Amino acid sequence: MDYVSTRGAAPALDFENATLAGLAADGGLYVPAAWPTLSREAIAALAGLSYVDTAVAVLAPFVGTTLPREELRALCQAAYGRFAHAAVTPLVQLDGQHWVLELFHGPTLAFKDVALQLIGLLFERFLTSRDTHLTVIGATSGDTGSAAIDALAGRAKVDLFMLHPQGRVSEVQRRQMTTVLAPNIHNIAIDGSFDDAQALVKAMFADADFAGRFSLSAVNSINWARLAAQVVYYFYAAVRLGAPERPVAFAVPTGNFGDVFAGYVAARMGLPVAKLIVATNVNDILHRALSAGDYSVGTVTPTVAPSMDIQVSSNFERLLFDLHGRDGPALAAAMRGFEATRTLALSPAMRAEAAGLFASARIDAEDMALAMRWACEESGMLLDPHTAIGLAAARAAALPADVPVVTLATAHPAKFPDAVERATGRRPALPPRVGDLFDRAERYDTLPAEIKAVEAYIAERATARA
Ligand SMILES: *Cc1c(COP(=O)(O)O)cnc(C)c1O
């Protein structure tokens, strides 16, 4: 399986090199050169398989010949063996039509563990056969940082430098990062906002000399392997609800368009998906794009669902690539226009094509709280704010009663205890496996939001030397 850039000007890579590269050299994102498909019989044969065996069947076409099947299986076993639930991503019924797919049983209590636990092992595996080290850098507003840190802690040949905005992540989120004391993990609190931290990371990638010298890489959701790992749970959930005989709909709380794009990939692979419901909060660029063709950047409004407080959704470019007939140069021109004007209009034909699979909704704070209360009263379930936005959109979509609708539960409610308590009157407890978080020692350094200071810090500590 070859991977091509959405902007058509970077060389095609195999799975291994696309995973290690993250972003393509022409500024585009890697996608498979053609969508692999699973036949109806192959999908039917997934019924009753464990999560690990489902992962091997779904990932094998993406991995191609870069890993023998037995080795892929061992990596999946190691990654998903760390989840606290035997089903890895259990499916819980809310009422006659609505289901919740719990994706938060990993080590850091958010769905990002599902992909990053596997990525950590893939990085280590691919790097052992090379004599180079990688320096992974990233900026986080909360969930990505802890998931990446847990996944890469102690891994050979990779150092991780994670920037978070000083004082602007929750105490649970900060401690989930700073209590990991492995020598290859470096937490940096930036004296500034998340945007400052993100701008520093972009500037370091743009500093070609620095990026080359320290072999910089990224594990944010533009990394193709992350999306591939997320395709698995769409198949896993759908076959449990009757696919391929019965189509299933999914409602997905969306920020960077990564998780819901994985659902699109599942549909392209042949999974009968009745609808993909894109749920946004008041930061609604994706809802405007899908419902009115208006992909234009507004200002970010902070909400109680911070992982969806995003205006530019990087992975939307992957859908735009298909909507442009997979014409890289045409999309590159469209993206240049978007970067210059901060706005991009979808043609009526593109909107019609997207509407065949996607629906969308913008959920405000009040409807989010109503969905939390409904789930609590209906079935005693506590939902985190992101999941509640997904469920509100799922119910608003009003699909025919015989279509099961699965809402992806992207975070454990205990990650956002204040918002949950305000809406339901119940305070979710941290699960026992992270219960001693507040007793563990922390380690991090604080730096000014200045590229020279951050580069000097990394240069002193990174193992990689090109
Ligand atoms: C990252 C995140 C999201 C958004 O996922 P995308 O793939 O960026 O769309 C939603 N909910 C939670 C809890 C997250 O951590």
Side-chain angles (χ1 to χ4, degrees), residues 111-112 143 253-259 307 386 410-411:
F111 87 96
K112 294 188 170 72
D143 293 335
T254 307
N256 225 354
F257 206 73
D259 207 3
S307 298
H386 305 79
T410 50

